[in-house]
């Protein structure tokens, strides 16, 4: 079971312009659970669009990947102090806006943090995987033409791959989602390969 990362809230720009006011029930936790394995397989193949479709969601907006070589600047709290002591070699971030057929909308943040060694990655993961220790700042959703929301860090998942850690988080923008659904969004997004891996394919 993954534990959530982050202090109480990370401000990002989210909100208007993705879907009109949400109405009706969102995708159910049961349906996401039943289809999550298929969605993860699509995500591992770098097909984010198909991954969201598998669980009844539609990707409506997405930022380009942004790379930071000075990783600590894009973090805060104990997570930042960990990176100052144990620097990463690169940090790539991306932000998705996804919606269901009723207009319930969520933002999903993904970050890929690369270190020199697996040991460096493991020490960083031991910090960021604990709720309340800080976080990686999501990209501003103003890049998607959206208003501010808060990333709480409660709907979080991380996956280690050798010297790289993928961190994903999700939050509701409009309407409502069951917490288990938001957790599912983060789990699926964490399966996406890092940008260098996509270029090698």
């Amino acid at each position: 079971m993954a534990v959530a990362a982050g202090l109480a809230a990370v401000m990002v720009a989210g909100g208007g312009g993705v879907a009109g006011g949400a109405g009706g029930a969102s995708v159910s936790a049961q349906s996401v659970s039943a289809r999550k394995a298929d969605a993860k397989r699509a995500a591992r193949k770098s097909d984010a669009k198909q991954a969201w479709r598998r669980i009844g969601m539609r990707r409506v907006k997405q930022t380009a990947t942004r790379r930071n070589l000075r990783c600590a600047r894009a973090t805060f709290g104990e997570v930042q102090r960990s990176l100052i002591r144990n620097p990463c070699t690169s940090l790539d971030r991306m932000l998705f806006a996804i919606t269901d057929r009723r207009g319930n909308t969520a933002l999903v943040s993904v970050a890929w943090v690369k270190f020199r060694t697996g040991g460096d990655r493991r020490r960083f993961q031991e910090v960021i995987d604990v709720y309340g220790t800080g976080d990686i700042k999501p990209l501003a959703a103003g890049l998607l033409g959206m208003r501010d929301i808060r990333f709480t860090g409660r709907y979080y998942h991380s996956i280690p791959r050798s010297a790289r850690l993928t961190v994903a988080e999700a939050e509701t923008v409009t309407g409502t989602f069951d917490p288990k659904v938001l957790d599912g969004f983060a789990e699926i997004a964490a399966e996406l390969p890092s940008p260098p891996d996509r270029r090698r394919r």
Side-chain angles (χ1 to χ4, degrees):
M1 181 179 69
V3 285
L7 293 174
V10 181
M11 293 301 297
V12 300
V18 171
S26 62
V27 292
S28 70
Q30 183 177 6
S31 67
V32 170
S33 178
R35 301 170 185 171
K36 190 163 57 178
D38 285 344
K40 287 182 176 182
R41 278 192 287 271
R44 285 193 288 269
K45 295 177 181 178
S46 302
D47 192 348
K49 183 177 180 180
Q50 186 61 32
W52 301 128
R53 283 182 173 176
R54 295 286 173 86
I55 58 168
M57 299 296 293
R58 179 171 60 91
R59 182 184 66 189
V60 289
K61 291 188 178 183
Q62 169 185 330
T63 67
T65 304
R66 300 291 182 94
R67 171 161 289 192
N68 291 76
L69 298 179
R70 297 181 179 181
C71 307
R73 291 186 175 183
T75 61
F76 65 92
E78 183 55 35
V79 170
Q80 184 180 64
R81 290 188 285 275
S82 172
L83 286 174
I84 291 171
R85 294 189 301 267
N86 176 39
C88 70
T89 58
S90 66
L91 168 63
D92 294 292
R93 293 176 293 165
M94 180 179 287
L95 192 67
F96 296 94
I98 57 176
T99 190
D100 66 14
R101 63 185 179 86
R102 294 185 180 273
N104 300 289
T105 304
L107 280 178
V108 182
S109 171
V110 189
W112 298 270
V113 196
K114 186 176 181 181
F115 292 87
R116 291 183 180 86
T117 68
D120 288 344
R121 184 271 308 157
R122 184 175 62 254
R123 284 185 285 275
F124 176 73
Q125 187 174 4
E126 288 171 354
V127 175
I128 195 170
D129 272 1
V130 178
Y131 181 78
T133 56
D135 208 348
I136 298 167
K137 299 174 185 176
L139 289 176
L143 296 170
L144 301 178
M146 302 169 69
R147 297 188 304 269
D148 284 351
I149 67 163
R150 298 187 299 171
F151 270 81
T152 63
R154 294 189 179 276
Y155 311 111
Y156 168 96
H157 195 71
S158 69
I159 296 179
R161 294 179 177 89
S162 187
R164 183 180 288 112
L165 183 69
T166 306
V167 173
E169 302 181 50
E171 291 293 341
T172 300
V173 179
T174 61
T176 59
F177 289 103
D178 186 289
K180 291 181 180 179
V181 170
L182 293 170
D183 281 336
F185 293 164
E187 287 183 45
I188 292 164
E191 296 285 353
L192 290 166
S194 64
D197 292 341
R198 292 192 188 104
R199 286 194 293 267
R200 284 197 295 267
R201 285 171 181 255

